[in-house]
């Protein structure tokens, strides 16, 4: 039995079909977390660390670049 921890990817995408498609493509090899906004992504990161953030740049409210800057701070 392989006990290696799979890296966690936080997917931040407001378009439902794109978000779910990325989840289907990545969840076999990664643990995936899904959110539809940058604000919610920051809440998720407070509770669960992510190894990778995959974010849309154009999001309602806070944009993806601001999200990345705040997540790194």
């Amino acid at each position: 039995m392989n006990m290696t921890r799979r890296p966690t990817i936080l997917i931040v995408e407001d378009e439902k079909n794109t978000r779910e498609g990325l989840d289907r493509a990545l969840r076999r090899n990664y643990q995936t977390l899904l959110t539809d906004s940058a604000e919610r992504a920051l809440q998720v990161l407070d509770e669960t660390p992510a190894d990778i953030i995959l974010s849309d740049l154009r999001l309602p409210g806070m944009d993806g670049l601001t999200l990345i800057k705040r997540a790194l701070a």
Side-chain angles (χ1 to χ4, degrees), residues 7-13 22 26 30-35 37-38 40-46 48-57 59 63-73:
T8 300
I9 297 179
L10 173 59
I11 299 169
V12 187
E13 171 58 64
L22 287 167
L26 296 169
Y30 301 93
Q31 177 181 343
T32 57
L33 305 169
L34 308 175
T35 69
S37 72
R40 178 68 184 126
L42 290 172
Q43 293 172 349
V44 168
L45 289 171
D46 281 341
T48 308
D51 299 298
I52 300 167
I53 298 173
L54 179 60
S55 178
D56 188 351
L57 291 177
L59 294 164
D63 65 68
L65 287 177
T66 302
L67 165 63
I68 298 299
K69 289 176 186 174
R70 289 192 53 191
L72 290 171

Side-chain angles (χ1 to χ4, degrees), residues 7-31:
T8 300
I9 297 179
L10 173 59
I11 299 169
V12 187
E13 171 58 64
D14 58 326
E15 165 57 46
K16 181 181 178 188
N17 290 332
T18 302
R19 185 175 60 245
E20 291 176 354
L22 287 167
D23 179 43
R24 282 190 303 275
L26 296 169
R27 69 178 166 210
R28 180 178 186 134
N29 296 311
Y30 301 93
Q31 177 181 343

